[in-house]
Amino acid sequence: MFYFSLREGWRNFGSLGIIGLLSLVSLTITLVLFGVALRGYVLIEEWKTGLLGRFEIEVFLPVESDSLMASDVAERIKKLPDVGDIKYISHEMAARRFAEQFDVDLFDLLESNPLPPSLEITLKDNADPAESWQRTANSITEMDSVFDVVYEGELLASVNRFYRNAGRGIGAAVGLALIVSIFLTIMAVQNVIRSREDFIQVVTLSGGTAGMARGPFVALGAYYGVLSGIAASAVVMLFGWFVRIGWGLGSVTDIWWIPVLIVSGALIGMIGSGWAASRSIRKV
């Protein structure tokens, strides 16, 4: 019966028609959006993780602070939940950093070193970029022996907020496209069923079950889904390739999302065609 359904379903594929073509296009667009959401999530997470290590909170201490005072402040900062690494910048290191950044020796301008010592802090990889930077900076500001706190997390927080809002938008688009895809699949299969009434009657009169009559049309929906999944995989692969080149993330060989798209397409097609077959064949 399985082979019979697949064979007859493929034969029905010749009755594609304009509605069937629209169903293929709509389902492909649905799967492209779904695949872009999957790949985009992975890419954004990789990018955010890479950026997280580049941003720092710098805690400036009073000019008269020594290494013991800096160590005491560092120990208190380490107890904060989102803090990862802490690096101590002494007076001398601050002067060298000034010379590297501005290409001038501080002592050529001044007789003494007025730069305060500081602590450079990076957050943990799993820290929430939308809130962790501000929350950690506020907690450090309230500590004794802290002169000023400067952090660079605004950009990462903005990216994270955009990512969340974009995720909602893509989710809504995928949902709408899914509804349209199922609707067009139902219409396409109903058209094929109307053109194959003789086949259904032959199956029924020869003692075939309702499942045998519906099977080829469910297989037709699965064919739609598989072809749409393959086409969507190619589009998403190109999308990921261009994005990785643009962001300088390097190439990857993961293909776990390809079977996900193909199986998802087959399931969507089978659901739409199965419903259409169940409703329409009763009337034949």
Side-chain angles (χ1 to χ4, degrees), residues 64 110 126 225:
E64 66 276 6
L110 304 170
N126 61 354

Side-chain angles (χ1 to χ4, degrees), residues 129-181:
E131 300 178 0
S132 298
W133 294 96
Q134 184 69 57
R135 182 174 59 242
T136 302
N138 290 342
S139 298
I140 296 173
T141 301
E142 297 173 357
M143 294 181 180
D144 296 333
S145 304
V146 171
F147 177 72
D148 193 16
V149 177
V150 177
Y151 74 102
E152 305 170 320
E154 295 92 340
L155 174 60
L156 194 57
S158 299
V159 169
N160 194 70
R161 285 191 293 270
F162 170 79
Y163 168 61
R164 291 180 178 178
N165 293 332
R168 296 189 188 99
I170 291 178
V174 170
L176 179 61
L178 178 61
I179 293 173
V180 173
S181 298

Side-chain angles (χ1 to χ4, degrees), residues 218-234:
V218 175
L220 174 62
Y223 285 132
Y224 280 176
V226 169
L227 290 179
S228 297
I230 293 173
S233 297

Side-chain angles (χ1 to χ4, degrees), residues 16-213:
L16 185 64
I18 186 64
I19 297 297
L21 183 60
L22 289 175
S23 175
L24 273 174
V25 172
S26 175
L27 186 52
T28 299
I29 292 174
T30 301
L31 294 174
V32 166
L33 291 173
F34 179 54
V36 166
L38 284 177
R39 299 294 291 147
Y41 175 81
V42 174
L43 289 170
I44 290 291
E45 288 300 316
E46 290 181 10
W47 189 59
K48 286 197 305 182
T49 300
L51 279 182
L52 197 59
R54 301 178 190 177
F55 289 113
E56 298 171 340
I57 295 176
E58 186 155 13
V59 180
F60 291 98
L61 306 175
V63 176
E64 66 276 6
S65 301
D66 54 18
S67 59
L68 292 177
M69 183 179 293
S71 178
D72 176 67
V73 174
E75 288 298 323
R76 284 181 279 157
I77 292 176
K78 283 182 181 178
K79 296 178 182 179
L80 298 177
D82 297 318
V83 172
D85 296 328
I86 300 178
K87 178 182 178 182
Y88 174 58
I89 306 296
S90 65
H91 291 280
E92 294 76 14
M93 294 172 66
R96 288 197 297 270
R97 184 173 62 177
F98 180 89
E100 292 172 358
Q101 290 178 345
F102 299 102
D103 197 25
V104 60
D105 193 323
L106 180 64
F107 294 99
D108 291 340
L109 302 175
L110 304 170
E111 296 181 357
S112 61
N113 181 1
L115 298 178
S118 63
L119 299 170
E120 287 185 352
I121 300 167
T122 55
L123 301 188
K124 295 177 180 177
D125 290 342
N126 61 354
D128 180 8
E131 300 178 0
S132 298
W133 294 96
Q134 184 69 57
R135 182 174 59 242
T136 302
N138 290 342
S139 298
I140 296 173
T141 301
E142 297 173 357
M143 294 181 180
D144 296 333
S145 304
V146 171
F147 177 72
D148 193 16
V149 177
V150 177
Y151 74 102
E152 305 170 320
E154 295 92 340
L155 174 60
L156 194 57
S158 299
V159 169
N160 194 70
R161 285 191 293 270
F162 170 79
Y163 168 61
R164 291 180 178 178
N165 293 332
R168 296 189 188 99
I170 291 178
V174 170
L176 179 61
L178 178 61
I179 293 173
V180 173
S181 298
I182 293 178
F183 175 74
L184 290 176
T185 300
I186 290 172
M187 292 184 61
V189 172
Q190 285 176 335
N191 283 341
V192 174
I193 290 174
R194 283 193 289 269
S195 68
R196 296 297 305 277
E197 290 183 2
D198 56 339
F199 164 78
I200 298 170
Q201 290 172 351
V202 168
V203 171
T204 304
L205 293 175
S206 61
T209 64
M212 290 184 65

Side-chain angles (χ1 to χ4, degrees), residues 231-245:
S233 297
V235 174
V236 174
M237 185 176 292
L238 286 174
F239 166 79
W241 184 69
F242 280 117
V243 170
R244 284 187 171 277
I245 290 178

